[in-house]
């Protein structure tokens, strides 16, 4: 069955959508190929077929699935290849990890680098994203990023549980990467693509893990250049 992933595309075809990177890695993990179709963030007509307004969206034959975690569950249930979760208990824990990253890490990262995303979008998309972010965080993007060199230190501290996990094993999921690794990689990959701000320090164990993650599947993460 043909797979099509709808994801955000910016100027110079930069595929910058945070959550879509979870799906890109999930597809590679399972050895599945898909067509990756870019969507402008302000073009809601392009994704109206999914009956909601966000990407990623996976079309799998005539099934349309949105939300990265639901997509991962769908891939696990309906496709072969290596397991993304490896059972009900680990799927449940991965869901908890998904929520932790989305409610703790992403909201601390997004205000620091949202201003940089403006530089990789056309005017219509930049206006849309600015309005979404400024509504969510209650301040102009310039103000949100004003102390970011200092604020990023707090974000690094929040990542301590992941660092502790990597002291015990090479990947968040164990001896091999799986969906939980893709969950955490995605905000770091988003930051890498949209912003020059160093989110991690060079000697951070998480930075070494991120490099290992970017190397996976023939350098999948590096197919998108880092923002200079
Ligand atoms: N919980 C969803 C979040 C999806 C989401 O927020 N996607 C962003 C892009 S990464 C989006 O489409 N935003 C469109 C908008 O805010 O207009 C998931 O995991 O897929």
């Amino acid at each position: 069955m043909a797979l099509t992933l709808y994801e955000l595309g910016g100027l110079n075809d930069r595929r910058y959508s945070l959550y879509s990177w979870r799906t890109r890695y999930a597809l590679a993990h399972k050895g599945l190929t898909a067509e990756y179709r870019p969507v402008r963030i302000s073009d809601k007509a392009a994704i109206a077929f999914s009956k909601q307004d966000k990407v990623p969206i996976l079309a799998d034959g005539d099934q349309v699935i949105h939300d990265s975690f639901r997509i991962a569950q769908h891939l696990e249930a309906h496709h072969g290849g290596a397991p993304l979760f490896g059972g009900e208990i680990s799927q449940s824990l991965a869901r908890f990890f998904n929520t932790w990253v989305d409610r703790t890490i992403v909201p601390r990262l997004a205000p620091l680098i949202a201003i940089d995303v403006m530089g990789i979008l056309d005017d219509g998309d930049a206006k849309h994203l600015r309005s979404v972010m400024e509504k969510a965080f209650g301040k102009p993007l310039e103000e949100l990023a004003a102390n970011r060199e200092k604020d990023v230190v707090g974000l690094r501290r929040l990542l301590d549980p992941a660092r502790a996990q990597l002291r015990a094993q090479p990947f968040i999921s164990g001896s091999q990467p799986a969906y939980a690794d893709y969950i955490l990689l995605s905000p770091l990959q988003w930051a890498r693509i949209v912003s020059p701000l160093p989110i991690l320090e060079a000697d951070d164990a998480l930075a070494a893990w991120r490099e290992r993650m970017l190397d996976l599947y023939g350098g999948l993460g590096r197919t998108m250049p880092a923002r200079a």
Side-chain angles (χ1 to χ4, degrees):
M1 223 29 120
L3 295 166
T4 307
L5 182 70
Y6 295 80
E7 58 181 4
L8 297 178
L11 295 176
N12 301 319
D13 203 25
R14 235 166 238 263
R15 305 298 173 98
Y16 68 98
S17 94
L18 188 159
Y19 300 98
S20 299
W21 278 97
R22 293 180 187 171
T23 307
R24 278 183 165 241
Y25 271 82
L27 288 164
H29 181 101
K30 288 207 160 282
L32 297 168
T33 48
E35 184 196 338
Y36 297 95
R37 210 171 280 181
V39 173
R40 292 177 62 240
I41 194 167
S42 58
D43 185 3
K44 299 307 177 192
I47 56 169
F49 67 91
S50 72
K51 300 185 173 59
Q52 53 87 57
D53 64 353
K54 291 188 170 42
V55 297
I57 302 160
L58 183 75
D60 184 353
D62 55 11
Q63 280 186 279
V64 174
I65 308 112
H66 67 89
D67 186 275
S68 55
F69 198 81
R70 288 184 57 234
I71 293 171
Q73 289 177 308
H74 169 88
L75 293 175
E76 189 79 326
H78 299 283
H79 291 272
L84 287 167
F85 302 113
E88 189 192 337
I89 296 173
S90 37
Q91 182 169 151
S92 180
L93 288 172
R95 188 210 298 278
F96 174 76
F97 188 62
N98 201 71
T99 306
W100 178 70
V101 171
D102 290 359
R103 296 195 186 178
T104 307
I105 304 304
V106 175
R108 285 289 280 269
L109 171 65
L112 308 187
I113 60 174
I115 188 74
D116 297 325
V117 188
M118 301 297 110
I120 61 158
L121 300 181
D122 64 31
D123 290 349
D125 273 7
K127 190 165 170 243
H128 173 90
L129 189 67
R130 179 180 280 275
S131 118
V132 169
M133 290 287 188
E134 294 190 344
K135 191 164 165 225
F137 293 102
K139 281 183 192 170
L141 298 188
E142 290 73 10
E143 231 175 276
L144 289 170
N147 298 311
R148 68 184 191 171
E149 271 77 18
K150 208 168 106 237
D151 294 341
V152 77
V153 176
L155 169 62
R156 287 177 190 147
R157 213 170 293 132
L158 278 182
L159 287 162
D160 260 346
R163 236 168 249 121
Q165 184 83 330
L166 295 174
R167 273 197 289 278
Q169 54 197 50
F171 294 100
I172 301 291
S173 308
S175 60
Q176 297 297 324
Y179 196 66
D181 291 85
Y182 312 143
I183 291 170
L184 184 60
L185 178 68
S186 68
L188 298 174
Q189 170 70 334
W190 178 57
R192 177 185 163 272
I193 293 168
V194 303
S195 172
L197 182 72
I199 303 303
L200 301 171
E201 292 182 297
D203 61 353
D204 188 335
L206 265 176
W209 165 84
R210 180 186 55 191
E211 296 310 300
R212 289 201 296 283
M213 294 296 296
L214 294 174
D215 287 341
L216 292 174
Y217 313 121
L220 172 62
R222 298 185 203 282
T223 54
M224 248 346 99
R227 185 87 186 268

